[in-house]
Amino acid sequence: MWIYAESVGLKELLRNLSIIRVCVLAVLNLFIRNVQWLKHSRKEYCELCKHRFAFTPIYSPDMPSRLPIQDIFAGLVTSIGTAIRYWFHYTLVAFAWLGVVPLTACRIYKCLFTGSVSSLLTLPLDILSTENLLADCLQGCFVVTCTLCAFISLVWLREQIVHGGAPQWLEQNQQQPLNGVGQQNEAQAVVNGGVENAVLDQPANPAAENVVVGENPEIQEEQVDEEEEDNEDEEDAVVEDAADANNGAQDDMNWNALEWDRAAEELTWERMLGLDGSLVFLEHVFWVVSLNTLFILVFAFCPYHIGHFSIVGLGFEEYVQASHFEGLITTIVGYVLLAVTLIVCHGLAALVKFQRSRRLLGVCYIVVKVSLLVVVEIGVFPLICGWWLDICSLEMFDATLKDRELSFQSAPGTTMFLHWLVGMVYVFYFASFILLLREVLRPGVLWFLRNLNDPDFNPVQEMIHLPIYRHLRRFILSVIVFGSIVLLMLWLPIRIIKYLLPNFLPYNVMLYSDAPVSELSLELLLLQVVLPALLEQGHTRQWLKGLVRAWTVTAGYLLDLHSYLLGDQEENENNANQQPNNQHARNNNAIPVVGEGLHAAHQAILQQGGPVGFQPYRRPLKFPLRIFLLIVFMCITLLIASLICLTLPVFAGRWLMSFWTGTAKIHELYTAACGLYVCWLTIRAVTVLVAWMPQGRRVIFQKVKEWSLMIMKTLIVAILLAGVVPLLLGLLFELVIVAPLRVPLDQTPLFYPWQDWALGVLHAKIIAAITLMGPQWWLKTVIEQVYANGIRNIDLHFIIRKLAAPVISVLLLSLCVPYIIASGVVPLLGVTAEMQNLVQRRIYPFLLMVVVLMGILSFQVRQFKRLYEHIKNDKYLVGQRLVNYERKSGKQGTSTTPPQSSQE
């Protein structure tokens, strides 16, 4: 296919083509190539001069004005054949990935865990069975997901071991003979350098009452002792087995990274899943089924039966069955026994100097160890926190342990999940509060807590390198700390509230209410209005940070611990000036690490003593006593804060809701949310007034006037967009969907405006979210503009003219036109009363169906036009002409400038 220009000669080309008037030199050299690139890139403007252009087709002179019927019919048959071929192919793809793979995984899983030999013999027939297809496919999807997650986790764990280095006990005999001693000295130098820097930061002869101390020296000594104990039995074997390690490491060097990268580039998701039209995916289906079978056999079948035989042998089978989680507990026990077995086998392999077997057993032990630690950290610990929170809050809800036991017996899975979820939320907010404390306190105060924002903190590397007893010690300390905080901030305040305010507790947490207000409406109001307003505001965190800072300053001056908690101002300035110099010195003293030296560097990071960003402080007299008083003061403050949080919002919410619902009891979730919102508004108003007071009375009046005007505009917009639009949308949804499905023709439907408004709020948010995620059109542009302006720059005229008026007009027409037709036009036709009732009740879904059919017909007409153009181009198109861009509306000389793009 050739690309034609407006003329043949260069002079004529430059005179007629205004598209190249700016980039003449570029066209002189690369005109043909640029035109081909413009056509291939499918862009609407030139990348050099930013001028809009278009391509017009050039057809053969013998093309008829209208295509013959046989050509259209042949093209239509070809398109239908192509569509059928694609349909068969994609049906095969869907059947393979959504049917064969999960169904095979589920049937193999059931066969392996049946426990009989006959199930293995009948496995092919069971796979082809048509019983419980849907349930088995869903269960198989879960099994396939678990196996894929296990495979991805293994690959990721291997990358962690390769890049971060394996534990020293695993690589003590795997180091290179030429670099083994040097790397040991390098690691020791890094560790010693960190200790020396920590020592050099301390003054030589500090005074007794004005001592500047380093942070946690006992922890440094403990870590050094642990490192010496770990390295006592490892230093003698380095030189002895270095040659075997060198020979074994050569196998890892005989692979070509370019070949693997090329293979990864060729294998795309479309090719792997079969979406490219080829049948290569059938091989991938076979490998996925094989991988599922292998992972089920290795990671589920073997550990489960090891644990099962062990539990039966020890006589704990009845206790495990009483837990309602027999499979999970049995599998975890199997993994624990498997880890112990791997440790013993690793020791025996090291004793007889089987290096390959020793390394393989060590890597398998690391995999099992990391898996168990992940289960403990993510599963067991939040579950313990959730159950402890529930036990300590029983009196707050007038419940007993017997009630919790009955709920667990009736729904064990749901009960455990809810407690785990509550524990996860508690752990998350505790960690968030610790991060906020680190922003206020002096660096080094919270040395005993891990810093999640530390770039050197890698929990997976700690799981790989640190021994089990250290993880067990951390777990016990975490349980003690979290449990003590729950006792201090939940159980003890509840006891105090019951003693001081006997009628305040328990909280009302019934599932259903006799109040005239619907529970669904209140829940939607809470989720859509109250909580987003609280969570989307950043003032709450700033207020909490200010309170923590004020408390810290007060406690510091009362106990003479200001230097310890916040640091000295002069020292902070000096440290700020010295940080660039220290960073430059550290960069100059850094030792380059290559090869297996990554392991030594990571070990130095794990075993370093001082915290990151440590600042010295002045140590006053009787420092331990002052720290004890600080802890007591902190406990009293947390207790008072917990008392306020448990009583004030609920009391305010109950008082406000009583004006609305009277004496009827409301779920305390709603009263607490209402009270929190009112308290937040009050605190926000007070803080704003306090911030305005230094500016004078005139400025305050001016601000009040501006805010009053802004509040009035916001109220008008809220009435239109959050009141009228959701009400009309909810009413339309009930007329179109709910009433025809729920109310028979011989009954009269009842409409509740409050519930319609609540459902309309939810539908409006869903429609707005879909609009913002969809293509660019006028509604999306207007919503984005309103969102960009915000509340302070709200444009009432723009919102009413561009957003509220069109949307309300469309909704009112959708509601009124069918009603006028059913109640005004149909009775004039002289139909019966039954027919009038039928029309009135079914006209809304009928018109919706008509609109949908018109949309489908319009889509099919556009598709037929595209097919017509495709047939005409295939048979009669000989080229394309590059011309200036013109709008389809016929306006000449108008063109929009495209957005500027970066040029290389």
Side-chain angles (χ1 to χ4, degrees), residues 82-100:
T82 304
I84 293 175
R85 181 171 61 86
Y86 277 108
W87 182 81
F88 275 113
H89 179 79
Y90 289 131
T91 302
L92 180 62
V93 170
F95 175 75
W97 290 112
L98 301 179
V100 174

Side-chain angles (χ1 to χ4, degrees), residues 99 134 206 260 280 543 549 636 667:
L134 182 60
W260 287 92
V280 184
W543 295 341
R549 184 179 296 276
I636 296 174
H667 199 292

Side-chain angles (χ1 to χ4, degrees), residues 422-444:
V422 171
M424 282 295 294
V425 172
Y426 169 55
V427 172
F428 170 76
Y429 280 105
F430 183 84
S432 301
F433 185 72
I434 295 300
L435 293 177
L436 187 141
L437 286 180
R438 291 187 182 276
E439 297 179 6
V440 176
L441 299 178
R442 176 185 60 84

Side-chain angles (χ1 to χ4, degrees), residues 2 36 94 173 234 256-257 428 505 527 558 593 700 900:
W2 295 93
Q36 292 177 351
N173 297 329
E234 298 174 356
N256 190 356
F428 170 76
L505 293 178
L527 295 177
L558 289 177
V593 181
I700 291 177
Q900 299 295 327

